[in-house]
Structures are given as structure tokens and as C-alpha cells.
Amino acid sequence: MRYRRLTFQEISDLWQNSGLSYKEPLPLRTFHNHQKAILDIFGVEIKCDAGDGYRYYITEPERLRGNNLHSWLISSYATLNQIQADSRLEDRIIYEDIPSGQTWLTCIAEAMRHNRVLNITHQGFGKPYPSTFEIEPYLLKVVKRRWYVVARSPYYSGRNRAKGVKPNDVYRVYALDRIYDIEDTGKTFKMKRSFDADDYFEGCCGVITSDEKPQRVVVKAYGGFADYLRTLPLHESQREIEGDDESTLFEYHLKPTFDFYQLVLAQGDQVEVLEPESVRNEMRNFAKNMLDYYTWKEEDKPCKE
């Protein structure tokens, strides 16, 4: 991807200097084996253009750039290989741990692969005790160091259908770190063709969804914080409107769910919501509550002993 097109000799030279090769040249047969494995594992096709000096290239690179999962898998795999090949880097690369991915991720991914119905024991935040119920796992999503599974609920879907309530199919989001147990029911399901992950999370900033339509939100970023937002947008719909040396305006089209408010609050005093007034008022309420937390009344001050 970085070099676009390379001859086999150029690939071999880069391989030799990468730390993966133990300074040995890359055998052509090994390269062809890797070429096939890359296609099988990642769905990335590498072809040779005889008309361009027998240079190798990735077909349809735009598909790879637009696929977040493939990009993440390849990046993680390549980094892991590099670290294993060069032990000197082991203590110089730090990763954030994602605890929820260690216990149930493989189990759920396996069920998704074979469309297996799972029986899970789950306790949501704020719930006094766990509940056990069936789910049809549709997709996995990681947000803020937590893995989530989006699943169709057979119970609520069946209840809606019996009552004639629309929509018939009900989908829920479950955090993997709130799951206490998983059992394979031995039953299978068929994914609904009407389900679309992009539509399900349209306008969302995390995993909390809403039936409301996305709306225009304008945020002002102060000083140099605009550069931070340019390189790491708050949402994929971000668009820069105008700015000067003191501040910059950014426009978004999203659903202002709790995830969005958390995201904005995390930026501290570097950003301000300008529009719409309803979102600005909600931010004002959050700010007022936070100020109340940090404002001591004389009678509530802790003892100074």
C-alpha cells in the first residue's frame, strides 16, 4: 500500500531489512505462498503486471482503505509480526488493554460464523441481578475499550410480531464485559436481509442508538484544539465551516445521544456546542451538574485534620 508497485527484487530487499527475515533474501516460492495466504486470510489480492516491469500491486486498494475491519486486522497482524521478529521493540510499544475481548470474543465470533443462537447470562449497568436469554449475534463492535455484540432478540421480536407491533425485529446491544456466561443452544438462525449495520448506527457516536433522525450540530473549537479535531474527528460527518486564529467551527450531522455528550464533555473547555439550542441546553445541564459536584458548601467541606 505504501509503495503502490514493487518488483520482486524490491520486495525481497524490503523483506530483508524488515526484521522479519533474519537478513535472508525472500525465496520466490515463499513469496507466492504468502501471496496466496494473504488472499485467503484477508481477502487482499496481489497481482503482477507484466507490462509494468513485472511489478506487484494490490488490486482495488480503495476497498481495503474503506474497510475498517480489514485495515485493523492487517495493521494488528503486521505489528504483532514485527514485534515477534524484533524482540528489541517489545518493551517500546504500549497497547491499551481491552478486558472485555478476552473471555467471550472468540465464542461469539464462532457463533456468528455459523449463525448459532446463544443463551447468555447478562447483567446491564444499573440492573440488580443478571438475566438469561437467547440472542442471535449479528455483529461485533469495539468502542472506548469495550467490545459489544449487536444481536437480534428472539423474545422481543416474537412478542412484537404477536402483538402486531412494528418493527417486528428487535435488535439489542450487549457489552461483553457484562456477560457472565454463554451457552450454545444448538439452534441456528438466518440473518435478516433487511438488517444493515451502517443504517443501524447511522448518526451515532458509539453504541447507543436512537429512532430520531440525525440533526445538524455546530461545535466551536478553541485555539490549537482545532488541529486535534482535524486529525481525530469527533464523528465521521465532521466538516470544517470557518475559523480564525482564536477558534474554528465544525459541523456534524448526527444523533445527539448520551455517547455524543460524553464525547464532547471529554474535550473539557476546548470545545463549545453552539447549535442547536436543545443540544446546547443539554450541555449546559451537564456543566451545571459538574460545577455543583466541585462546589463545596461550607457545611459540606471535609474536615482538615
Side-chain angles (χ1 to χ4, degrees), residues 84-225:
Q84 289 178 333
D86 194 341
S87 58
R88 291 173 299 177
L89 298 178
E90 187 173 354
D91 297 327
R92 296 170 59 187
I93 299 178
I94 301 175
Y95 285 95
E96 277 194 317
D97 182 33
I98 305 181
S100 59
Q102 298 174 2
T103 306
W104 306 117
L105 191 59
T106 303
C107 176
I108 293 175
E110 184 72 15
M112 288 168 55
R113 185 178 300 113
H114 301 289
N115 287 346
R116 308 281 289 189
V117 179
L118 296 176
N119 206 45
I120 70 169
T121 300
H122 177 273
Q123 183 174 2
F125 289 112
K127 301 291 184 180
Y129 50 83
S131 303
T132 301
F133 47 86
E134 292 183 351
I135 65 168
E136 298 173 357
Y138 270 46
L139 64 92
L140 287 161
K141 183 180 177 72
V142 62
V143 177
K144 299 176 185 176
R145 298 182 60 216
R146 273 200 173 96
W147 278 100
Y148 297 85
V149 57
V150 180
R152 179 181 177 274
S153 168
Y155 171 77
Y156 287 108
S157 297
R159 190 178 70 171
N160 277 13
R161 188 172 292 107
K163 292 182 176 181
V165 177
K166 298 289 185 178
N168 285 340
D169 295 307
V170 178
Y171 302 93
R172 296 291 178 89
V173 181
Y174 304 100
L176 267 61
D177 57 3
R178 305 305 299 166
I179 295 177
Y180 291 92
D181 191 28
I182 292 181
E183 293 181 356
D184 190 333
T185 64
K187 297 185 290 187
T188 60
F189 67 92
K190 287 186 178 180
M191 284 191 65
K192 299 292 181 178
R193 293 184 179 180
S194 58
F195 180 83
D196 184 276
D198 292 332
D199 288 343
Y200 185 78
F201 285 110
E202 181 188 8
C204 298
C205 293
V207 294
I208 299 177
T209 60
S210 170
D211 292 332
E212 297 181 7
K213 292 183 178 180
Q215 55 183 295
R216 180 177 182 267
V217 177
V218 178
V219 170
K220 176 188 284 188
Y222 290 98
F225 196 75

Side-chain angles (χ1 to χ4, degrees), residues 7-9 11-12 15 25-36 48 54 56:
T7 65
F8 172 73
Q9 185 58 52
I11 293 171
S12 180
W15 168 269
L26 177 64
L28 182 59
R29 183 175 180 180
T30 301
F31 169 70
H32 287 315
N33 288 339
H34 289 341
Q35 185 181 3
K36 183 179 183 302
C48 181
Y54 292 94
Y56 290 89

